[in-house]
Each structure stands twice: as C-alpha cells, then as structure tokens.
Amino acid sequence: MQTDTLALTDATDHRNTRRNPRGVFQKVPGKNSPWWICFWDAQGRKRREKAGTKSAAIDLYRKRKNEALEGKKLPEKLRRATVTFAEIAKDALVYSKANKLSHRTDKVRMETLLSWFREYPAESITPQEIERRLEQEEWSPATINRHRALLSLTYRLAIRNGKTKENPARLVRHRLEGNARIRFLSPEEETKLRNAIEAACPERIAELELALNTGIRLSEQYMLRWQDVSFARRTLTIQRSKNGATRHVPLNKAALGALESLAKRTSGSEFVCGGATEPRRWFEPVVKVAGLEDFTWHCLRHTFASRLVMAGVDIRTVQELLGHKTISMTVRYSHLTPKHTLAAVERLDAPTGEPTDTTTDTGATPPLVPEAPVLQQVTQ
C-alpha cells in the first residue's frame, strides 16, 4: 500500500514538473519564442505581459501577484506600448547605413541577433541571456566582440531615442582577442596567386595590384570613387576611413598602372573597381587554387605593411600610410626590422673596460636626416 502511494506521488510530481507554472505561457511553443504572463491586477482586470525568458516570466508573475495583493497600480511603462528588440534593431540598421562602412556586415550580424531576440521586449533582455546566447555559438573572441558591439550600439541608440533606459550589452564581458597575427605573401606565394588569377579572372589583376601597393582596406578599395583619385598629384583620398578621418594615400608606379587599367575596364562607373561589392567571390577560389593556407584579403594589407618595414621604412611612416589611429597597431610589424635590433644588442659586444660614450654634446650640429624616399613599388 505504501509503495503504491509513493508511486502515485512520484507520478504526480513528474506531471507537475512538465507543466508550466500557473500564469506563465508561450503563445507559440518553441525554443526562441518569448514567454508571457497572465494575471489579474489590483482593479480586477485581466492582464497579459510579455516577459522574455521563462525564468524572467516566473519572476515577473510573482511580482505582479504581490503587487495586486498589496493594491498597487501597474508601473507607468505598462501604460505605453511595449518596444520590441526588432524595433530598436531597425533603428540601429538605419544608423549603420548612414554612418558606418561596415553596414553590410552589420546587416548579417543583426540577423543573428534578431533570431535570438526579435519579439522580446527590449527592456526584458538581460546580460545573462546575452552571455548564454554568445556562449552557445562556436565563435572566435573577435566575432563575439563584434556582435556584442553591435548589440551595445543598438541599445545606446534606443536610450537616446527614449525607447529603453538600460543597455544590457554594456555588462557583457569583452573577450580578449589574439590580433597579433600577421600573415603576408612571400615572393613565391605571390607568384602562385598571380598565376591563379591570370588563369581564372585576368581582369582582376589590377585590383590585386592596387591592394598590394596602397594597403587600403577592402571596404575602402571597393567604395573608392574616381572623383577621389588624382593622377596629377599621385594620390587617392579616403573620405571616411575606419576611424572616421579623411586620409590621403600616395600612389607609386604600380598603383598608378593598376588605376589606369581599372579606368579602361570600368568605364562609365563612378566606382574605381566598378561597384563590385563581394571581391571574396573571386578571391577565395583563386587563393584555394594557389594553395595558400590561412590567407584572406586583409593579408594583402599585411603584405603591404610588412614589405615597407622590411625595406627600412620607419614605423611612424608606416602608421601614416596604413591609416592607423594609434601606433600600437603598427608596432606589430616592428619585428620585421632585425637589423635595427641586432645593431642595438651588438653594442654590448664592446671589449670589457673600454669606455662607452654616453654623453650628449648639445652644442654639436645634429646629423642631417635624409628625406623619406618616395614610396617605391613594394611588390618587387
């Protein structure tokens, strides 16, 4: 008899654990569907309120029940329309299109965020929920940080527009990125890459030349307009670089030749590269044919910088040519100048006992510093 009673109790408990708590439900059952609560307020009116996650819904239901028992009125925010994440995401994409070079990438990332939070009330999303979503994806630290940054921008704009009061993404931890990686072309690899392009799409060689001899970013090159190119002054102007500033890039003979070829090929287009938006569609296949491992378009920029440093160009000039806002990004290439560091440690090889002149003659005439040479073709 006792055994039957225990079995009945266990079965009842099992059914109870499968049933949703009272007043908590989903309109459309599913993993990504938001949870709602249904309750009676202090005035005896039936209310429904969207809460986001199941745990948030349970907590909110208990809170509303206690408020009803105490005779409290509903918060002011419930008297206005609920702002969903989809609404503030739309505002963020409008801002991105008007102000960011990475708009196309933002659109792709926003689709992922919308798949998580589309119909959630914007104010119901918590830092813990964002962390959980990010951890579920097999992403690199850099990818996680880019999604976090877009989410934070979305909430900052929503706060400015008076649609939310808090930014939950601000409390999500920033991941440490290993961005010290430098991958550049060796002369042998460049030959293989050129041969692959000549075989598959020879008209693209000029785009490769321009990238290797200017070091401009992918987005800068494919959004460059002819009105920003001056053959007379041998410069091209990036109207809005990654850090928001305008910069001028000098053109060597190889870059000028590439631009002349592009002018013939893209006649009638306002864009230097003909308005192409996805160079990866042709670039990634030829990289594969050339047998280059772990090589992306951005590695062409690394190649430009690395060859300058190995040719003896000082780091400060390289920083200016790359358009880095701070020199800390450019210092990554300093290890490619072994002659300077070797000369420094060789000073320790002086015989013991020989005096080393460590004084400075402030009255002496400083040596003349030669002017920086005009940037030569860096592909040779």
Side-chain angles (χ1 to χ4, degrees):
M1 182 67 178
Q2 185 177 4
T3 303
D4 293 341
T5 303
L6 290 174
L8 180 61
T9 302
D10 290 342
T12 303
D13 291 343
H14 179 67
R15 288 196 300 271
N16 288 339
T17 57
R18 296 177 60 185
R19 188 181 302 133
N20 291 331
R22 179 186 294 273
V24 177
F25 66 99
Q26 285 180 300
K27 286 186 176 181
V28 180
K31 182 179 179 181
N32 295 322
S33 180
W35 287 79
W36 291 68
I37 65 171
C38 180
F39 62 98
W40 298 85
D41 64 16
Q43 287 73 41
R45 290 174 295 186
K46 191 175 182 179
R47 298 272 190 173
R48 287 185 176 87
E49 186 178 346
K50 193 184 292 186
T53 63
K54 183 176 182 179
S55 59
I58 294 173
D59 292 341
L60 184 59
Y61 177 76
R62 290 171 181 166
K63 180 181 179 181
R64 295 287 181 255
K65 290 290 289 183
N66 289 333
E67 290 173 345
L69 290 173
E70 295 171 3
K72 292 183 178 179
K73 292 183 179 181
L74 289 175
E76 284 293 330
K77 68 179 182 180
L78 293 183
R79 299 177 186 176
R80 65 176 186 266
T82 301
V83 177
T84 64
F85 178 78
E87 183 177 341
I88 66 173
K90 183 178 180 181
D91 293 341
L93 288 177
V94 171
Y95 173 87
S96 175
K97 185 175 183 179
N99 297 280
K100 298 181 66 179
L101 293 174
S102 59
H103 172 62
R104 288 186 291 110
T105 307
D106 283 349
K107 286 179 64 178
V108 175
R109 291 172 182 152
M110 189 63 81
E111 283 302 318
T112 301
L113 299 178
L114 285 168
S115 71
W116 297 347
F117 306 124
R118 187 183 303 273
E119 296 303 324
Y120 280 45
E123 293 187 337
S124 72
I125 300 172
T126 65
Q128 294 78 15
E129 177 69 8
I130 297 171
E131 284 279 8
R132 186 178 69 81
R133 298 282 187 171
L134 293 173
E135 291 295 340
Q136 288 178 347
E137 304 290 342
E138 296 182 357
W139 287 342
S140 67
T143 302
I144 290 177
N145 287 339
R146 302 303 172 270
H147 283 80
R148 171 187 174 274
L150 179 58
L151 194 56
S152 186
L153 170 66
T154 301
Y155 272 94
R156 289 201 308 273
L157 294 172
I159 292 172
R160 188 180 72 180
N161 295 334
K163 295 184 177 181
T164 60
K165 294 182 179 179
E166 301 290 338
N167 180 0
R170 184 175 60 86
L171 300 178
V172 175
R173 65 186 177 87
H174 180 86
R175 270 60 171 184
L176 182 64
E177 300 179 28
N179 60 354
R181 168 186 173 274
I182 298 176
R183 173 72 166 93
F184 56 91
L185 282 173
S186 67
E188 295 77 14
E189 287 179 325
E190 182 178 346
T191 299
K192 292 179 181 178
L193 181 59
R194 287 180 179 276
N195 290 340
I197 296 176
E198 287 284 2
C201 45
E203 72 279 4
R204 302 289 186 178
I205 283 290
E207 295 170 46
L208 176 72
E209 288 281 9
L210 187 62
L212 283 173
N213 288 277
T214 60
I216 57 179
R217 299 177 177 90
L218 183 150
S219 59
E220 294 171 342
Q221 177 165 332
Y222 285 90
M223 293 181 68
L224 185 67
R225 290 174 165 82
W226 284 113
Q227 65 187 30
D228 297 321
V229 177
S230 172
F231 286 95
R233 295 195 302 271
R234 296 180 59 172
T235 61
L236 60 83
T237 301
I238 306 298
Q239 296 292 353
R240 192 179 67 193
S241 63
K242 185 178 179 180
N243 57 37
T246 299
R247 65 189 179 96
H248 306 282
V249 180
L251 300 171
N252 59 15
K253 291 182 180 179
L256 287 170
L259 287 169
E260 289 171 357
S261 297
L262 287 168
K264 296 176 183 177
R265 197 192 88 193
T266 63
S267 177
S269 173
E270 65 174 317
F271 292 96
V272 170
C273 292
T277 57
E278 289 295 337
R280 294 184 181 90
R281 292 181 180 177
W282 64 265
F283 185 72
E284 291 179 358
V286 297
V287 166
K288 186 175 181 180
V289 170
L292 306 184
E293 296 183 0
D294 197 25
F295 195 86
T296 64
W297 182 276
H298 195 73
C299 297
L300 300 176
R301 181 169 161 85
H302 285 318
T303 301
F304 169 78
S306 300
R307 290 177 176 177
L308 286 174
V309 172
M310 288 187 286
V313 179
D314 64 276
I315 291 294
R316 180 65 185 83
T317 301
V318 176
Q319 176 196 357
E320 184 177 350
L321 290 171
L322 290 174
H324 285 159
K325 192 172 184 178
T326 62
I327 203 168
S328 60
M329 290 293 292
T330 322
V331 169
R332 294 182 297 168
Y333 303 98
S334 61
H335 71 283
L336 298 172
T337 57
K339 292 183 180 180
H340 298 290
T341 53
L342 179 60
V345 297
E346 280 183 342
R347 295 185 182 184
L348 300 177
D349 289 336
T352 305
E354 284 192 10
T356 302
D357 185 10
T358 59
T359 61
T360 301
D361 184 0
T362 57
T365 302
L368 294 176
V369 179
E371 294 183 0
V374 175
L375 180 61
Q376 299 299 315
Q377 182 174 350
V378 297
T379 57
Q380 296 181 349

